């Protein structure tokens, strides 16, 4: 930038090189211009870059690593022969000033005031890295032979502890030396995985086509299998068990349905109410006594009273009827204790009256 401003090579008429030496001395200015305005106080304005993340104490805002500021640089001391510099800058979010200085002993920057560091430091001792040797330790190693001997013993112990891990690292590196074998192994592994992925995609597509769904199926896990095993979408009894149970119910129930028994009971009660007795069936070979036929005599009374009495008694015993005056027998319906209809018997209480007939036929 100074070169860009120094492109003007105009020399005034009163410029004397032997007296002034340069244009800056002639103009009584510094080559760094405004950056050197406090140079008399030992302060130089430089462009400072934040070495790590910090929080400003004034506004409590976060300032990231790499943010640049115009800082005042000055020397505050020495670490042996290395100078220690301090930087003072103003926060770009508030009026607070931040001061930092170098730490040559730890090769780091230290916050003096105005901010707090975000702790992200790498501890070499915790991560088993080689630590830098301190200056005092170096002097002892150079001057004290006993300390040098003890230091050598400690180094040998560290080597013995680190030997197993070193041999494991060497074996691991030797296993990866054959590039062709490693490439073949990797390609064969990729082929197997690609085949499995293709089979899973085909199975998923078949399931989606079967269920008419349009969604993305996630890969199956062990938890999903356990959860699906606990669910049951079928009945507890099998088909054969249901059929066997149905057959046992059919074989155990009555042959006659309760509806038919109810109809018979209704019909029986209706007959009881009407007191109707069914008509008897006449067989072709029935006798006069069985049929209840009584042969009456004519007005002359030629037939004997004994035969008539015999026929009447036979008819009365078979039908259970009563004799009426005038020589006829009338049938009476006897009611039982339960008033149930009785089936017709072979002997009936029918009476045939031939009183009006003029001829007397032999039976």
């Amino acid at each position: 930038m100074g070169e860009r401003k120094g492109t003007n090579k105009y020399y005034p008429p009163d410029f004397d090189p032997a007296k002034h030496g340069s244009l800056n001395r002639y103009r009584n200015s510094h080559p760094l211009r405004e950056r050197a305005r406090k140079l008399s106080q030992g302060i130089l304005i430089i462009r400072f870059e934040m070495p790590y993340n910090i929080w400003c104490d004034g506004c409590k805002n976060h300032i990231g690593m790499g943010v640049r500021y115009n800082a005042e640089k000055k020397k505050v001391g020495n670490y042996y022969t290395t100078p220690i510099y301090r930087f003072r800058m103003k926060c770009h979010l508030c009026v607070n000033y931040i001061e930092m200085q170098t730490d040559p002993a730890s090769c780091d920057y230290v916050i003096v005031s105005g901010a707090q560091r975000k702790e992200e430091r790498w501890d070499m001792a915790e991560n088993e890295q080689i630590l830098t040797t301190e200056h005092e330790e170096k002097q002892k190693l150079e001057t004290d032979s006993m300390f040098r001997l003890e230091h050598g013993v400690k180094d040998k112990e560290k080597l013995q502890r680190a030997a197993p891990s070193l041999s494991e690292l060497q074996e691991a590196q030797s296993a990866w030396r054959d590039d062709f074998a490693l490439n073949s192994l990797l390609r064969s592994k990729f082929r197997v995985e690609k085949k499995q992925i293709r089979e899973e995609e085909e199975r998923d597509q078949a399931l989606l086509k079967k269920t008419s769904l349009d969604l993305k199926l996630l890969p199956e896990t062990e938890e999903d299998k356990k959860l699906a095993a606990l669910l049951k979408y079928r009945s507890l009894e099998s088909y054969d068990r249901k059929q066997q149970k149905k057959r046992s119910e059919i074989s155990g129930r009555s042959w006659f349905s309760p509806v038919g028994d109810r109809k018979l009971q209704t019909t029986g009660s209706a007959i009881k109410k009407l007191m109707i007795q069914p008509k008897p069936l006449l067989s072709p070979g029935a006798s006069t006594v069985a049929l209840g036929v009584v042969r009456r005599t004519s007005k002359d009374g030629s037939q004997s009273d004994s035969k008539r009495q015999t026929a009447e008694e036979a008819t009365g015993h078979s039908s259970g009827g009563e004799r009426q005056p005038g020589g006829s027998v009338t049938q009476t319906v006897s009611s039982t204790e339960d008033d149930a209809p009785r089936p017709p018997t072979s002997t009936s209480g029918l009476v045939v009256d031939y009183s009006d007939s003029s001829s007397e036929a032999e039976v």
Side-chain angles (χ1 to χ4, degrees):
M1 191 170 182
E3 292 180 358
R4 190 164 61 248
K5 291 182 179 180
T7 55
N8 187 5
K9 300 297 183 180
Y10 173 74
Y11 291 91
D14 56 348
F15 175 74
D16 186 2
K19 181 180 177 180
H20 300 98
S22 65
L23 289 174
N24 291 327
R25 186 178 296 178
Y26 173 79
R27 294 189 179 94
N28 196 18
S29 64
H30 196 274
L32 298 178
R33 310 292 174 154
E34 293 296 328
R35 294 171 57 188
R37 66 180 182 270
K38 294 183 180 181
L39 196 60
S40 60
Q41 303 174 13
I43 298 173
L44 179 66
I45 308 299
I46 64 167
R47 194 69 174 166
F48 181 80
E49 185 173 343
M50 193 63 65
Y52 42 73
N53 298 322
I54 63 171
W55 281 285
C56 178
D57 288 342
C59 58
K60 305 299 181 182
N61 287 320
H62 178 268
I63 300 174
M65 181 177 61
V67 179
R68 294 180 180 180
Y69 294 94
N70 291 329
E72 297 178 355
K73 174 186 175 182
K74 66 179 179 179
K75 183 179 178 181
V76 294
N78 290 321
Y79 176 75
Y80 296 100
T81 58
T82 305
I84 299 174
Y85 293 101
R86 182 173 293 182
F87 306 93
R88 186 173 184 267
M89 67 208 81
K90 183 181 178 181
C91 177
H92 66 288
L93 299 173
C94 62
V95 296
N96 181 47
Y97 281 88
I98 302 171
E99 291 187 6
M100 304 178 69
Q101 71 179 20
T102 59
D103 185 9
S106 59
C107 301
D108 199 0
Y109 288 88
V110 179
I111 297 175
V112 178
S113 63
Q116 294 180 1
R117 180 174 182 173
K118 184 179 179 181
E119 195 61 42
E120 295 176 341
R121 279 177 284 194
W122 180 266
D123 193 351
M124 300 176 66
E126 290 182 358
N127 294 277
E128 299 181 356
Q129 291 184 347
I130 299 175
L131 301 177
T132 57
T133 306
E134 297 292 339
H135 183 70
E136 295 178 357
E137 188 176 354
K138 287 182 179 178
Q139 289 182 350
K140 286 184 178 181
L141 288 174
E142 292 175 357
T143 58
D144 193 350
S145 60
M146 185 61 68
F147 180 78
R148 190 186 313 115
L149 180 61
E150 292 176 354
H151 193 274
V153 173
K154 291 180 180 179
D155 290 342
K156 290 181 180 179
E157 292 177 356
K158 290 181 180 179
L159 179 61
Q160 291 178 358
R161 288 195 300 268
S165 58
L166 291 175
S167 61
E168 291 178 0
L169 291 174
Q170 291 175 358
E171 291 177 0
Q173 290 178 356
S174 62
W176 294 92
R177 286 179 182 175
D178 192 355
D179 297 337
F180 178 77
L182 293 175
N183 191 14
S184 302
L185 180 63
L186 188 61
R187 289 174 65 85
S188 61
K189 183 179 179 180
F190 284 164
R191 281 194 292 269
V192 173
E193 292 179 355
K194 187 177 181 180
K195 184 178 180 181
Q196 292 177 356
I197 293 172
R198 190 185 299 111
E199 291 177 356
E200 291 179 358
E201 289 180 353
E202 292 177 355
R203 185 166 60 252
D204 294 345
Q205 291 297 329
L207 179 60
L208 293 175
K209 186 176 181 181
K210 182 179 179 181
T211 55
S212 301
L213 297 175
D214 187 11
L215 49 87
K216 184 179 179 180
L217 297 178
L218 298 176
E220 193 178 53
T221 59
E222 293 295 332
E223 294 181 359
D224 296 339
K225 292 181 180 179
K226 292 179 181 179
L227 183 60
L230 297 175
L231 301 177
K232 293 184 179 179
Y233 297 100
R234 59 182 180 84
S235 61
L236 298 178
E237 296 182 356
S238 61
Y239 176 76
D240 297 336
R241 178 63 180 172
K242 287 183 178 179
Q243 291 295 106
Q244 184 179 1
K245 187 176 180 180
K246 192 173 181 180
R247 290 193 187 98
S248 61
E249 290 179 357
I250 293 173
S251 60
R253 70 187 182 188
S254 176
W255 287 10
F256 302 100
S257 62
V259 179
D261 298 341
R262 195 179 301 112
K263 288 182 178 180
L264 291 176
Q265 293 176 2
T266 307
T267 306
S269 61
I271 292 174
K272 291 177 184 178
K273 290 179 180 179
L274 296 176
M275 300 299 290
I276 298 174
Q277 188 174 3
K279 295 181 179 181
L281 298 177
L282 300 178
S283 59
S287 62
T288 57
V289 177
L291 292 176
V293 179
V294 178
R295 185 174 62 84
R296 286 196 173 186
T297 58
S298 60
K299 293 180 179 180
D300 297 338
S302 60
Q303 186 66 23
S304 62
D305 294 337
S306 62
K307 293 182 179 181
R308 182 176 58 194
Q309 183 69 25
T310 305
E312 289 176 358
E313 290 177 359
T315 304
H317 287 296
S318 62
S319 61
E322 297 179 357
R323 184 172 181 178
Q324 300 293 333
S328 63
V329 178
T330 305
Q331 181 184 2
T332 60
V333 179
S334 61
S335 60
T336 60
E337 294 178 0
D338 54 352
D339 295 336
R342 291 183 299 178
T345 58
S346 60
T347 60
S348 176
L350 297 178
V351 177
V352 181
D353 192 359
Y354 295 98
S355 59
D356 295 336
S357 63
S358 58
S359 63
E360 296 178 359
E362 294 288 338
V363 178

